[in-house]
Amino acid sequence: MDQHAPFTPAHSPRPAVTELRLSAFRSHRGATFALTPLTLFTGASGTGKSSVLQAYEALAALAAGEGLGDVFPDPAACVPEWAGADTEGRRGFRIGCTVDGPAGAVRLDLAVQAEPTLRIVGERLTCGGQTLLTTALRDPERSSVQAAWLTAGSVPVTRAPLPDDRLGTSLLPLRVAGKTAGQLLVLAAAEQVVVALRSVFACDPQPCGMRRPVAAGDGRLRRGCDNLAEVLHRTRSECTRRHARLTAAARRGCAGEVAELAVEETADGLLRALLHRGAGRTATPVERLGEGELRYLALALVLLTGPGVLAMDQAAEVPSAYQSMTVLADGFDRSLDPGQARELVALAVEMAARGHVRLVGAVSDATFARGVEGVTVVDLVP
């Protein structure tokens, strides 16, 4: 972040994405979704539940500095079927979000050309009705867009080229001097968006991988949670209070008695997670658990830990006390029975109430969450 515009959230809430816009993305057209600390999307197959989370994750990856091609490996699939090509054969999609925080409500809107060449063709950053950044494709032969950002000094705006495969908003802290009131506003808004979007952990526990013993590593839980045993080994020694909470959650979501979540080292030096069943009883290796139990344990671990234990890269310039983590969970209720789903939602509500964790999930059936205080259920229709 630019040293001239330090992030100062002392008098404002933590930056958070409060609205997601899919103006033209996959099956969505002109869709706007308000996001609360705990939002679950539900609907029949084909209503676009996964697409909502994919758009959110794509914005997060772009804010983290990833290239457009890495974020959208199959860009043509993101173009709505009804979207026709222009006279030059160009087709694309549009997504955006609103981030609330110290700078107010900041809107980011993005237009992406998917065909014939993948590139960002338009980006707009606004706050309080004021345009802070715009980009536009001026010369299709160049791999850049013309950007203009607010200066509000002797020159109203500053113009410069930016690469067409990177999010311009994430590049502003490296380009804006922060010497005028306008530049400071631009920096504050851009940093707010980047901080909120980078605070995302996309989680999709894969039971098949979680059943295998793993080698010791850095102890950060990966997206598929295949290194569950390694992370439990770390939390058991470093985060005893949270590990105790996780054990209590396991008692409510796993079959049989659970005295403790433990980890043992195998003969070949790998780590295996176990459920201790009590004095005099044989422990149960996690590979014997059902898919629902494994997914339940992984999601409970994610909700009870935080960025320091999860494989995610938050903005290092902002103190952790002023950041909130957003968990993206497509198929949140996959393989879970209603009781397990209710327990996880109750845990998510508790953690969200503390202000440090937000959850955006897609579920096949939201019956377990309807009417629960603190949960917003969004019903999608074809």
Side-chain angles (χ1 to χ4, degrees):
M1 302 297 176
D2 191 280
Q3 62 179 348
H4 297 292
F7 197 90
T8 55
H11 303 99
S12 307
R14 299 177 182 89
V17 177
T18 55
E19 184 179 86
L20 193 63
R21 292 182 295 280
L22 279 62
S23 302
F25 186 77
R26 294 186 180 269
S27 62
H28 294 280
R29 181 175 188 174
T32 299
F33 303 110
L35 301 180
T36 64
L38 207 169
T39 307
L40 297 177
F41 290 87
T42 189
S45 178
T47 54
K49 302 185 295 293
S50 295
S51 297
V52 175
L53 272 66
Q54 288 166 4
Y56 196 148
E57 186 177 357
L59 289 170
L62 289 170
E66 294 189 29
L68 198 62
D70 294 326
V71 176
F72 298 107
D74 185 13
C78 300
V79 180
E81 293 183 0
W82 41 261
D86 64 12
T87 55
E88 302 296 328
R90 295 173 296 197
R91 300 172 72 238
F93 53 91
R94 290 177 290 132
I95 57 177
C97 66
T98 297
V99 176
D100 277 284
V106 181
R107 288 174 57 100
L108 170 68
D109 292 288
L110 199 64
V112 178
Q113 176 185 295
E115 299 171 339
T117 305
L118 179 63
R119 63 201 318 177
I120 295 174
V121 294
E123 180 177 348
R124 181 179 294 270
L125 188 71
T126 60
C127 180
Q130 189 170 22
T131 299
L132 306 180
L133 166 73
T134 59
T135 71
L137 181 66
R138 300 301 185 194
D139 185 352
E141 301 302 318
R142 295 178 179 271
S143 57
S144 63
V145 291
Q146 183 64 32
W149 58 82
L150 180 69
T151 305
S154 57
V155 178
V157 299
T158 299
R159 302 183 189 276
L162 292 177
D164 66 358
D165 66 341
R166 293 291 191 275
L167 185 70
T169 296
S170 67
L171 300 175
L172 288 176
L174 303 175
R175 297 295 191 98
V176 180
K179 295 180 178 180
T180 69
Q183 290 174 337
L184 289 172
L185 178 58
V186 169
L187 284 172
E191 291 177 1
Q192 177 169 297
V193 169
V194 170
V195 167
L197 287 174
R198 283 179 59 179
S199 302
V200 164
F201 181 68
C203 180
D204 185 15
Q206 300 295 317
C208 59
M210 295 165 63
R211 290 194 168 96
R212 293 190 291 267
V214 296
D218 63 4
R220 286 164 65 89
L221 189 68
R222 296 189 284 262
R223 178 186 185 126
C225 305
D226 53 287
N227 62 331
L228 177 72
E230 175 197 358
V231 178
L232 289 177
H233 181 66
R234 175 184 173 185
T235 61
R236 191 164 180 252
S237 60
E238 296 182 7
C239 314
T240 55
R241 181 178 298 178
R242 290 182 177 181
H243 189 82
R245 289 291 314 277
L246 182 61
T247 299
R251 293 191 186 103
R252 297 190 293 270
C254 295
E257 181 182 352
V258 178
E260 185 184 3
L261 281 173
V263 177
E264 69 173 7
E265 186 173 336
T266 65
D268 51 0
L270 300 178
L271 300 175
R272 168 189 288 145
L274 308 165
L275 296 186
H276 280 175
R277 298 300 192 178
R281 300 183 61 184
T282 302
T284 303
V286 295
E287 56 258 36
R288 297 182 186 176
L289 301 181
E291 288 197 2
E293 290 175 302
L294 286 170
R295 284 184 55 82
Y296 173 88
L297 282 176
L299 290 167
L301 175 60
V302 170
L303 293 170
L304 282 168
T305 55
V309 185
L310 305 177
M312 58 183 296
D313 181 25
Q314 286 191 299
E317 299 84 353
V318 182
S320 59
Y322 297 133
Q323 298 193 37
S324 63
M325 177 185 72
T326 298
V327 179
L328 299 185
D330 195 6
F332 177 78
D333 61 339
R334 189 186 315 133
S335 301
L336 301 181
D337 64 37
Q340 291 170 327
R342 284 193 296 271
E343 289 291 345
L344 282 179
V345 162
L347 181 59
V349 168
E350 176 188 348
M351 302 309 292
R354 299 182 182 183
H356 293 283
V357 176
R358 298 170 68 90
L359 170 67
V360 180
V363 299
S364 59
D365 183 356
T367 302
F368 65 89
R370 295 189 187 278
V372 176
E373 185 176 357
V375 181
T376 299
V377 175
V378 180
D379 291 286
L380 300 179
V381 295

